[in-house]
């Protein structure tokens, strides 16, 4: 009997192990079905349809125009050495405000030039080395935006953007 007892225990253990393996395989298959089904559900539609954009033509009044604000050589001597920068400053505005900008430029031309020159004289030397002149452009835009203000009817800003075209500065004192 003692010889038969271990065989009986092994025989009864094998069907139990088989049931556990079968149950684990069923769980893995169920998880795979849930994951694949979830991915298909979350993947979205098979086709994407793009609607053509309608022609968005701007009216002539909404087109952007540039008006010359200043053209000249502006000095900076913050480092103790004076550099002269050949500079042009433009203001961008909508066509419907172009006449207003031009009128205001003619009326306050010297005041605006003096204010822009003051910006140049008080700016740090590294501002002139920025690739897109971000700091100078921001200062000039703030000045022009304050000068031109907003349209009282629509509330739109008159000065959309300031554009600075500047050549490399050259030293004028040795």
């Amino acid at each position: 009997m003692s010889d038969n007892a271990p065989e009986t225990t092994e025989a009864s253990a094998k069907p139990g192990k088989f049931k556990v393996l079968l149950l684990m395989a069923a769980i893995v298959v169920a998880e795979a079905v849930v994951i694949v089904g979830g991915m298909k559900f979350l993947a979205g539609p098979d086709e994407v349809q793009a609607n053509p954009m309608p022609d968005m033509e701007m009216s002539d009044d909404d087109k952007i125009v540039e008006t010359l604000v200043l053209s000249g050589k502006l000095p900076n001597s913050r480092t103790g050495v004076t550099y002269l920068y050949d500079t042009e400053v433009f203001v961008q505005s909508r066509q419907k405000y172009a006449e207003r900008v031009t009128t205001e430029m003619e009326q306050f031309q010297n005041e605006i030039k003096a204010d822009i020159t003051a910006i140049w004289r008080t700016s740090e030397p590294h501002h002139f080395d920025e690739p897109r002149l971000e700091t100078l452009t921001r200062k000039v835009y703030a000045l022009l935006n304050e000068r031109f203000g907003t349209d009282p009817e629509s509330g739109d800003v008159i000065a959309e953007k300031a554009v600075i075209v500047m050549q490399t500065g050259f030293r004028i004192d040795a």
Side-chain angles (χ1 to χ4, degrees):
M1 271 198 184
S2 63
D3 288 339
N4 289 340
E7 287 181 22
T8 317
T9 315
E10 279 183 27
S12 63
K14 284 186 181 180
K17 286 183 182 180
F18 180 73
K19 287 180 183 179
V20 170
L21 288 175
L22 187 61
L23 181 63
M24 287 175 51
I27 290 173
V28 169
V29 169
E31 285 179 351
V33 167
V34 169
I35 290 173
V36 170
M39 290 180 71
K40 285 199 178 259
F41 177 73
L42 294 176
D46 292 337
E47 283 185 28
V48 175
Q49 296 179 357
N51 295 330
M53 298 241 341
D55 290 337
M56 297 188 66
E57 291 186 26
M58 294 179 118
S59 68
D60 287 339
D61 285 346
D62 287 336
K63 290 185 180 176
I64 300 292
V65 295
E66 289 185 346
T67 305
L68 181 65
V69 175
L70 173 124
S71 179
K73 294 176 176 31
L74 302 178
N76 179 276
S77 58
R78 293 286 290 186
T79 60
V81 177
T82 303
Y83 285 89
L84 213 53
Y85 296 91
D86 191 14
T87 307
E88 292 180 332
V89 177
F90 296 90
V91 63
Q92 289 183 350
S93 62
R94 303 236 179 245
Q95 177 68 41
K96 61 185 171 185
Y97 304 126
E99 186 177 328
R100 178 177 173 177
V101 169
T102 304
T103 303
E104 197 130 343
M105 284 300 307
E106 289 171 358
Q107 184 176 1
F108 298 104
Q109 181 177 11
N110 291 324
E111 184 179 340
I112 293 170
K113 284 182 180 181
D115 289 341
I116 293 174
T117 302
I119 290 172
W120 245 251
R121 288 184 178 175
T122 59
S123 292
E124 295 297 322
H126 65 273
H127 294 162
F128 298 98
D129 294 332
E130 294 174 345
R132 299 187 54 87
L133 304 171
E134 292 91 356
T135 304
L136 293 171
T137 301
R138 188 173 50 252
K139 289 179 179 182
V140 170
Y141 175 72
L143 170 79
L144 295 174
N145 193 30
E146 183 180 323
R147 164 63 62 192
F148 297 121
T150 59
D151 181 24
E153 293 174 12
S154 66
D156 294 338
V157 293
I158 305 287
E160 296 276 333
K161 186 177 180 183
V163 178
I164 299 174
V165 179
M166 184 181 78
Q167 304 301 317
T168 303
F170 57 92
R171 188 174 175 172
I172 60 170
D173 55 1

